[in-house]
Structure formats: structure tokens, C-alpha cells
Amino acid sequence: MKTTLSFSTPAELETESLVAIALDHAEKDPAGSTKKEKPQLKLATGDAAVQSVAADLLASGELTGKPFESNLLHKPAGLRAKRLLLIGGGSAKKFTGYDLRRLAGAAVRIVKSRGIRSFAFIVPPGIPVEEAVRAIVEGALVGNFDPDYYRSDRKDQKIDALTIVASGNADHAALEKAAQEAQVIGESQNFTRDLVNEPSNRMTPTILADRAKKMSQEVGLKCEVYGADKIKELKMGAFWSVAQGSDEPPALIVMTYEPAGAPAKPVLGLVGKGITFDTGGISIKPADGMEKMKYDMAGGATMIGAMRAIALLKPKVKVIGIVCATENMPSGKAQKPGDVQIAMSGKSIEIINTDAEGRLVLADGLFYARQLGCTHLVDAATLTGAVVVALGYTNVGVFANDDAIYERLHKANDEAGEKMWRLPLDDEYKDNIKSSIADIVNSGGRWGGAINAAMFLKEFVEDTPWIHLDIAGTAWMEDQKPWIAKGPSGVALRSLVEFVKSFKT
Ligand code: BES
Ligand code: MN
Ligand code: ZN
């Protein structure tokens, strides 16, 4: 999708479709009354000609004003556009960049399903214009993705060109930069979604590593891929304990971004869980829904996509991306409940559940990142079903061993328009991972399961400032939404890129 900024008046713009947001200016609950006021819809544009085309419809009382309510008018009088799409944005008072991102995605999905290939989106006033441009570009790219490659009746309806109509006396150069950056981020998010969407027979650890290598070559990253020999040589006993059970060779993917002029510190480490299929191993999962475990490499794919964006945006900070990729399979070579494994850090782990494999590969990935000199760590992983119980499909679970790094991430995810919620890591939870025969067990049981998993990881990061993102509930859309297709979401990538950018000098 090509993105162009336009500074002409919306009415003057020649386009297949102009898109304008309708906001509700009604006071929802007038003081002292239980009655809701009727919606009072106004278009979020200063263009009188566009407002006048929509005036009758908005005043008709036929519209609810709810988010994503849409109406398409053909041959709008007084406009050069062929169509005018009105899309509801909900309450004007509550309208933010978060909502705008989704509306842009929804506009793409409405327009492309009609076979239209290009349109122009009017930047609404009320949100700082740079932020708005960024939200529109990122949201539109998210909406443009559909994961239906393997269907013979695939429609392949993509928007080819988006024009963003920013009137007023905005700083053109700053807006161009915002749009370009957003384009890189949105495309990287879709790159991640492509990786996650592939089924496990088409996305083995080897293939994932090949995709990381190819991407790295394209954007000028250093990328090394190591196999079983190196994993054993590094004494990654926790990673290998999972990998040993599969006939597919594992891959330790290490991508390095080191721009000229970057300070020696900080060095950021982005570590991803890359389980290309999680059967549970000998502690095998029930058959029902197991097909979804192809997305258990989403954390790894997020880090590969984030490294792509970082290499293209070029912040002045060193970043190392590490993905521990393997299948988790039951076999004659697979580890068994009760086995004791020695992690790279030297800690002994009693494996009481082979389905708690993500924390095993990450334990060595995180420790290795520290050995490579990382001063700050972030991991992303579809780590626990328990985080879905705790936070549902809406918020990423965030854990941090350091308040300053948490605040930095929180600010980043706010700017990136993603929802994340912090969960605790109190010392009390450590009791849950005590073992009677080893240093720790790999499963702390059902209660507080997402926390127990994070407590396990904490043992391997020790005092390095660290963020753990549990994306099990958010990396896959269970249903399609107006702004996004069903399937891989690419969640956390935008926040990670923003987080990395916040370190640049
Ligand atoms: N990959 C799963 C977690 C998961 C669950 C991801 C649902 C996406 C959706 C992980 O490896 C796992 O199996 N976790 C176990 C841990 C338990 C055995 C301690 C879980 O959550 O049940
Ligand atoms: Mn598992
Ligand atoms: Zn898993």
C-alpha cells in the first residue's frame, strides 16, 4: 500500500472514495437524568462542502453514532471524490488516537471489500496531527492484511494507495516523516503476521530462520543461525530439553543491529519464544483446539518483525534480537516429566510438565542475551493460558523486575496504541516454583499461572532490567473485527519499536 500525504481541501480531491469520521457530540448522560440524549453527529473535518453533503443524513436521526457504523454515498454533490464514506467514531469527547487507528483499519476493510483499490482519509481535528497521521497509516496497514493465502477462492482485495488529507498549516516535513515511519512499522507488523499465520508444516524452525536471514539481508542486519551443535556447545540445557524431542532441527536465531555512532551502552535484547508447534510434548495437550498451537512462535516472529522495523528506522542504539525456535513434540527422544535439566546459567530445573516449554527455551535465550552484553531485556511469548484467564483477549500481560523499565514500556505502548496491563512479581510467588530435588520446577501449578511462568523467567534475568510480555491472549484474533481480520494480530511489535526508539540519544 502506497501512502501519500495531501494538503489540498478534501472537496477538491479526486479519489475513488473520500472517508470522513462522524463523531457524536451529544452529552451522553445529562446531569440528573437517566435518559440518554439523541446522538448529535458532526463530521470531523473543517471542510464545509463535505459537511454539507452529509448534513441531511447526519440530521435524519437514522444513525446511532456508534463506532464503525458506516454509510457510503455515491456521487457526492460538490465534491470531486466519486464516493463519500462516513464512518462513526463514537463519542467526540472520548475520541483518541487509539480509536482513530481502528477507524482507519475499518475504512480499509469496508472499501476493499467493495473492490475499491484506493481512497483518501480526512485527518480529524482534535488529535495532534502527527499522531493522527501515524495512527491512520498504521491502522490502515493493519486493516489491509488478510490471511487467506491458501484459499483457492482468495479475493486478494488489497488497497493499493491511501491518501491522507491533512489540511491546515501543519509542518509538512514532520508529517512526511511520521507517515514514513508509520509505514515501516505497519509493514513490519504485517511481516510478523505473515510468519505467524503459516502452519507448522510450512513454518519449521529452519524456515523461520531462513525468513529471518532473508529479511536481515534486505534491511542490512547481521543474522546468525545456530543449530543443535551450537545449542549443546553453549550448554543451553533448557532449550535443548525441548528441542531434543523433535525430528525438526531447532534454530537459535541471533540478529544484531549495531548502528555507527551508537553508544556502548545500553544494549537492548529482544528475546522471542519461537515454538513453531506446541503439542505439549509428553504432557500432551488435548486434541481440541491444538491446531492453534501453530501460533506459539508469535513472540519470536514479533522480535523478527521488530528488528526489521528497527533496521529501517535506524535509532542510535544497539539491539540484539534472539529467537529460540523449536517444535515441542512427544517422541522416543522427548524429555519426560520428572527429568532434571541444567540451564545455560547453571540452574537445575525439574521438569514437571513438558507443556511448560516456552519458559525453558526463554530461560536460555534470556541468559544468552545477557552473555552477549545486553543491559536491558524484553521478551515476548505466547507463554500461558493463564494470562488469557486473567486478562482475556484485550490486554497483553506485562511483567517487569524494574519500575523504570516498566514506565518506559508503558509510555511506548500508550503511544503505539496497544493495550497492556502489568501483573505482579512478588517474592511470595517464588514458593510456587520450589523443587525438592532441583533449584526450581518448570510449572508452578494453575493458580497465578502467568505469574509463576514469569517468576521462572526472572530466575534467569537476575538483576538485568527486564520486561516480559505474555501475548498468549492477544497474538491471535479469535474473530474478525471491523478493523482487523481473524488470525495473527502482530501485537506488541509497535510498542517494542517505540520502546527501542525511546533509548536513542
Ligand atoms: N503455548 C502454551 C500457552 C498458550 C495457551 C498459548 C493458549 C496460547 C494459547 C504454553 O506452552 C503452555 O502450554 N502453557 C501451559 C503451562 C502449564 C503447563 C504450566 C498452560 O498455560 O497451560
Ligand atoms: Mn506448552
Ligand atoms: Zn507453548
Side-chain angles (χ1 to χ4, degrees):
M1 189 185 79
K2 193 170 167 287
T3 312
T4 325
L5 276 170
S6 162
F7 297 95
S8 51
T9 44
E12 295 296 316
L13 207 77
E14 271 181 49
T15 170
E16 286 294 323
S17 183
L18 199 57
V19 179
I21 298 170
L23 294 177
D24 185 359
H25 291 260
E27 285 293 325
K28 275 296 174 200
D29 302 297
S33 157
T34 50
K35 270 200 215 147
K36 297 224 179 207
E37 212 187 307
K38 275 194 196 147
Q40 287 177 24
L41 300 179
K42 284 188 199 144
L43 285 194
T45 172
D47 190 309
V50 179
Q51 277 172 350
S52 128
V53 184
D56 286 349
L57 177 60
L58 295 187
S60 69
E62 293 166 23
L63 307 185
T64 65
K66 291 216 174 97
F68 309 115
E69 180 180 42
S70 68
N71 282 278
L72 186 66
L73 311 176
H74 279 244
K75 288 199 186 162
L79 309 188
R80 296 178 85 170
K82 287 193 197 155
R83 305 171 185 82
L84 175 63
L85 174 67
L86 304 181
I87 176 157
S91 153
K93 244 194 332 208
K94 293 188 196 146
F95 191 69
T96 65
Y98 182 84
D99 305 305
L100 178 57
R101 222 179 230 100
R102 293 188 163 190
L103 286 186
V108 163
R109 299 188 70 72
I110 292 166
V111 169
K112 76 170 179 168
S113 70
R114 291 169 175 264
I116 302 166
R117 294 283 164 266
S118 61
F119 71 95
F121 197 100
I122 304 176
V123 176
I127 294 170
V129 60
E130 262 180 67
E131 187 191 332
V133 165
R134 188 184 151 176
I136 293 166
V137 175
E138 289 175 0
L141 280 158
V142 167
N144 212 17
F145 178 94
D146 269 300
D148 55 353
Y149 306 106
Y150 295 119
R151 295 184 61 137
S152 338
D153 63 349
R154 177 167 200 235
K155 297 197 191 81
D156 196 18
Q157 292 177 315
K158 276 208 158 63
I159 295 295
D160 301 324
L162 164 67
T163 306
I164 297 162
V165 196
S167 332
N169 33 5
D171 174 349
H172 292 202
L175 290 193
E176 290 290 355
K177 185 164 177 259
Q180 268 165 25
E181 287 200 10
Q183 179 99 16
V184 166
I185 292 170
E187 284 172 2
S188 299
Q189 185 172 347
N190 287 346
F191 172 78
T192 290
R193 292 164 84 191
D194 267 331
L195 298 178
V196 177
N197 188 50
E198 291 294 341
S200 72
N201 63 326
R202 292 166 183 274
M203 189 48 69
T204 61
T206 307
I207 298 172
L208 185 64
D210 286 345
R211 298 283 282 266
K213 263 196 259 178
K214 181 161 171 273
M215 176 282 289
S216 295
Q217 240 156 33
E218 284 163 12
V219 302
L221 277 176
K222 184 170 145 198
C223 179
E224 290 146 308
V225 175
Y226 304 111
D229 289 349
K230 177 84 171 190
I231 292 167
K232 285 188 253 186
E233 185 192 313
L234 287 170
K235 298 200 160 57
M236 291 183 153
F239 185 2
W240 180 248
S241 75
V242 181
Q244 71 182 43
S246 173
D247 286 345
E248 278 297 335
L252 171 62
I253 307 168
V254 184
M255 297 156 284
T256 309
Y257 168 71
E258 193 168 13
K265 278 179 187 175
V267 179
L268 313 182
L270 306 182
V271 183
K273 168 176 174 181
I275 302 294
T276 58
F277 196 81
D278 182 10
T279 65
I282 297 296
S283 314
I284 199 161
K285 288 183 181 294
D288 208 21
M290 201 205 271
E291 72 282 357
K292 273 191 63 190
M293 283 301 115
K294 67 171 187 167
Y295 88 94
D296 214 18
M297 36 62 78
T302 303
M303 295 322 190
I304 299 172
M307 290 305 289
R308 177 187 186 275
I310 291 160
L312 292 170
L313 297 178
K314 303 190 178 10
K316 276 212 166 53
V317 56
K318 181 169 175 181
V319 189
I320 304 177
I322 296 175
V323 180
C324 300
T326 174
E327 294 182 329
N328 184 25
M329 297 291 282
S331 78
K333 294 181 295 174
Q335 69 177 335
K336 299 172 284 296
D339 286 2
V340 172
Q341 312 282 7
I342 312 294
M344 188 184 188
S345 75
K347 281 213 160 99
S348 59
I349 305 166
E350 182 188 0
I351 309 295
I352 55 175
N353 192 322
T354 66
D355 197 11
E357 85 297 341
R359 63 198 78 180
L360 294 172
V361 307
L362 286 176
D364 285 342
L366 287 164
F367 189 80
Y368 184 51
R370 289 171 68 211
Q371 284 218 327
L372 293 179
C374 293
T375 59
H376 297 71
L377 297 169
V378 187
D379 75 72
T382 47
L383 204 62
T384 65
V387 84
V388 196
V389 175
L391 298 174
Y393 296 124
T394 302
N395 275 282
V396 171
V398 183
F399 298 84
N401 63 351
D402 174 90
D403 289 341
I405 196 170
Y406 171 73
E407 287 307 329
R408 200 188 268 274
L409 177 89
H410 181 60
K411 195 163 169 284
N413 84 251
D414 218 33
E415 281 166 22
E418 295 187 312
K419 292 204 170 177
M420 304 197 175
W421 197 262
R422 189 175 182 180
L423 294 166
L425 280 176
D426 302 291
D427 287 338
E428 282 85 339
Y429 294 104
K430 225 198 127 180
D431 290 347
N432 295 349
I433 54 169
K434 272 193 183 142
S435 165
S436 47
I437 69 156
D439 295 333
I440 44 176
V441 291
N442 79 325
S443 165
R446 194 162 162 216
W447 310 120
I451 304 171
N452 298 337
M455 290 302 287
F456 182 94
L457 298 179
K458 190 166 168 247
E459 293 293 309
F460 299 89
V461 296
E462 296 175 7
D463 51 7
T464 305
W466 154 77
I467 296 274
H468 159 54
L469 302 175
D470 194 334
I471 57 172
T474 45
W476 193 266
M477 304 298 301
E478 296 295 321
D479 296 300
Q480 64 162 334
K481 300 280 182 197
W483 64 91
I484 191 170
K486 179 177 172 173
S489 70
V491 75
L493 182 141
R494 295 203 307 265
S495 299
L496 283 167
V497 174
E498 208 54 43
F499 174 82
V500 168
K501 274 170 60 192
S502 80
F503 281 90
K504 74 177 174 206
T505 38

